[in-house]
Amino acid sequence: MTMLKGCSRASVTNLNNQNIGIGVMNLLSRNLLFNTTAVLLFLILSSFKQANAHALEQSYVFLTIGDTSIEGRVEITIADFNQIMETDLSLDKSLTEADLLPYIDDLKRYFYKNINIDFQQGLKLDDFYLHSIDFAQYIAINFKFDDFEAIPESVDFQYSVLFDKDPDHIGMVIIENDWRAGVFDDEANVALIFKPGDTQKSLNLADATVTQGYWEMFKLGIHHILEGIDHILFLMALLLPAVMYRVGKDWQPTKGFYPAFIYVVKVVTVFTLAHTITLSAATLGWLSLPSRLVESIIAISIAVAAVDMLYPVFRGRIWLVVFVFGLFHGFGFASVLADYQIPDSYLTLSLLFFNLGVEAGQVAIILVVFPVLYWLRNLALYPLIIMRVGAVILILVSLYWFIERGFLIDLPLGQFVNWILGK
């Protein structure tokens, strides 16, 4: 064994042990980072769902399961409507509700005869409306069962719409919204399928649990922060300068990982505190702002944060900017929850788990981006190219969105820019 000059065998052994320890710690850190990121990515991917199940030669009963009520709608195509009513209405998606109004009472009577939902309450069809997708125009008639003491564990269905006229027709019961099952606005969540000769089935509603509902809210929060490119770009405007510090008007790389990381923790904590305040207030109905105003301010917040990379506008007070704009980002997060029919009794904890999901998404972004920026910070091109060019790009995108959202103008490059940015 060759000894280092001036070192004893014991000191060499200690040095080797230290190196081994450092190596183990680095390996554990890398594994922790990898495992954490992998888990978060798994949650993200598992939260994506197919959005639409419409097809020709199919009719549908869509259900929304609430806390003490179940509501929904029956949907058929105009082609199917023509078969039922023996009419010849246009299939070019040009019909209006006025065109169908004379036939609605007869259509309701047909549905009463061919659809039975045994909730110990009679099916009561209500108002109707038209909507179009790529290949067809649909007529939808709403219904609602309410005043349940508790949602039943199962319900018997009988469905025979169009089976007497089309032997290839299929009827589907789709649970579109069920908070307890973690189902939100999902038109592909098929629960029952009916065919000629197979017209009676039982729908099981007992498998849904409160725990599953909260878990899905957590995943929804992760999904939203990673799908919201404007939120990500605002976070990027904060992360890019986090591994540098100013000397006069110049940028210098931070001298260690710890100070830069603590800076990121502080900034993200301020952002989290701000958006939690308005997310809670808006979701609970205490405060509201026009969507157009909120989305416009979120767009311009990216430019304001990015300007500080080009010129020291805020001079160490970036946290105040982060807090103010974080309040508006919270309203943006709240608009997501407003689209989901969450029962009031579960709303507070749903809000908590959704917010935790948003924070998990932010952590995933930081875990991926921050180590890369820290590794790049010593390169001469970092302040000159990455920060300055990055700031300019962020400002341009921000102004572009601000003009579109604030003035309701569809700029010529809108579709291309949004496609590049995944919107």
Side-chain angles (χ1 to χ4, degrees), residues 306-383:
V307 163
D308 198 54
M309 284 189 278
L310 301 177
Y311 185 79
V313 179
F314 305 112
R315 301 184 184 280
R317 294 187 295 273
I318 188 67
W319 63 269
L320 181 60
V321 176
V322 172
F323 183 82
V324 171
F325 284 119
L327 294 173
F328 289 94
H329 281 256
F331 282 110
F333 294 140
S335 67
V336 177
L337 290 183
D339 294 335
Y340 300 103
Q341 302 183 40
I342 303 173
D344 291 340
S345 56
Y346 303 128
L347 185 57
T348 302
L349 283 178
S350 294
L351 172 63
L352 171 63
F353 278 88
F354 176 81
N355 200 41
L356 290 174
V358 169
E359 303 319 312
Q362 289 184 163
V363 168
I365 295 169
I366 293 169
L367 286 175
V368 171
V369 173
F370 183 74
V372 176
L373 298 182
Y374 182 77
W375 178 74
L376 292 173
R377 78 193 195 288
N378 286 316
L379 300 178
L381 59 81
Y382 190 88

Side-chain angles (χ1 to χ4, degrees), residues 63 65 70 116-121 145 148 151-158 173 175 192 194 200-206:
L63 297 177
I65 314 298
I70 297 176
N116 181 43
I117 307 175
D118 187 11
F119 280 126
Q120 298 181 345
Q121 304 176 39
F145 299 92
F148 291 112
I151 297 299
E153 293 186 354
S154 64
V155 59
D156 293 329
F157 268 80
Q158 180 272 325
V173 174
I175 299 180
L192 300 176
F194 298 94
Q200 296 187 16
K201 294 181 183 289
S202 181
L203 176 63
N204 181 17
L205 298 175

Side-chain angles (χ1 to χ4, degrees), residues 80-187:
D80 291 339
F81 176 88
N82 282 337
Q83 288 193 72
I84 293 171
M85 295 290 102
E86 297 182 352
T87 54
D88 190 25
L89 298 181
S90 172
L91 302 181
D92 63 359
K93 299 190 290 186
S94 63
L95 294 178
T96 66
E97 292 177 3
D99 296 325
L100 291 168
L101 189 58
Y103 306 97
I104 292 302
D105 288 341
D106 288 339
L107 181 62
K108 286 182 179 180
R109 282 191 284 271
Y110 177 84
F111 284 155
Y112 287 138
K113 180 180 178 181
N114 290 278
I115 302 174
N116 181 43
I117 307 175
D118 187 11
F119 280 126
Q120 298 181 345
Q121 304 176 39
L123 176 65
K124 296 180 181 179
L125 296 171
D126 197 359
D127 56 325
F128 79 99
Y129 63 92
L130 284 169
H131 72 94
S132 298
I133 58 177
D134 290 342
F135 56 82
Q137 191 173 27
Y138 279 80
I139 178 172
I141 302 184
N142 295 317
F143 62 83
K144 185 174 184 178
F145 299 92
D146 52 14
D147 296 329
F148 291 112
E149 290 186 4
I151 297 299
E153 293 186 354
S154 64
V155 59
D156 293 329
F157 268 80
Q158 180 272 325
Y159 190 92
S160 56
V161 171
L162 277 164
F163 292 170
D164 58 333
K165 298 178 180 294
D166 183 357
D168 296 322
H169 193 79
I170 294 175
M172 293 185 178
V173 174
I174 294 176
I175 299 180
E176 187 176 23
N177 292 282
D178 184 355
W179 180 91
R180 297 174 307 159
V183 178
F184 304 105
D185 198 25
D186 186 357
E187 292 188 357

Side-chain angles (χ1 to χ4, degrees), residues 201-380:
K201 294 181 183 289
S202 181
L203 176 63
N204 181 17
L205 298 175
D207 291 339
T209 66
V210 172
T211 301
Q212 185 177 355
Y214 291 135
W215 173 244
E216 292 297 330
M217 293 307 300
F218 177 76
K219 292 197 296 183
L220 181 64
I222 295 176
H223 180 100
H224 178 66
I225 191 65
L226 295 174
E227 188 182 50
I229 187 66
D230 43 8
H231 301 299
I232 292 177
L233 292 186
F234 182 72
L235 193 58
M236 287 300 301
L238 303 176
L239 288 176
L240 281 172
V243 294
M244 308 291 286
Y245 69 96
R246 271 200 173 95
V247 178
K249 293 184 179 180
D250 297 325
W251 288 98
Q252 298 294 328
T254 56
K255 300 186 185 306
F257 182 88
Y258 182 76
F261 182 73
I262 292 300
Y263 171 82
V264 170
V265 170
K266 289 180 179 178
V267 169
V268 172
T269 299
V270 170
F271 182 61
T272 298
L273 176 62
H275 75 62
T276 299
I277 292 172
T278 46
L279 170 61
S280 303
T283 302
L284 297 175
W286 300 342
L287 188 64
S288 65
L289 287 177
S291 175
R292 179 178 172 184
L293 174 65
V294 169
E295 293 302 319
S296 299
I297 293 177
I298 288 174
I300 204 63
S301 69
I302 302 167
V304 174
V307 163
D308 198 54
M309 284 189 278
L310 301 177
Y311 185 79
V313 179
F314 305 112
R315 301 184 184 280
R317 294 187 295 273
I318 188 67
W319 63 269
L320 181 60
V321 176
V322 172
F323 183 82
V324 171
F325 284 119
L327 294 173
F328 289 94
H329 281 256
F331 282 110
F333 294 140
S335 67
V336 177
L337 290 183
D339 294 335
Y340 300 103
Q341 302 183 40
I342 303 173
D344 291 340
S345 56
Y346 303 128
L347 185 57
T348 302
L349 283 178
S350 294
L351 172 63
L352 171 63
F353 278 88
F354 176 81
N355 200 41
L356 290 174
V358 169
E359 303 319 312
Q362 289 184 163
V363 168
I365 295 169
I366 293 169
L367 286 175
V368 171
V369 173
F370 183 74
V372 176
L373 298 182
Y374 182 77
W375 178 74
L376 292 173
R377 78 193 195 288
N378 286 316
L379 300 178

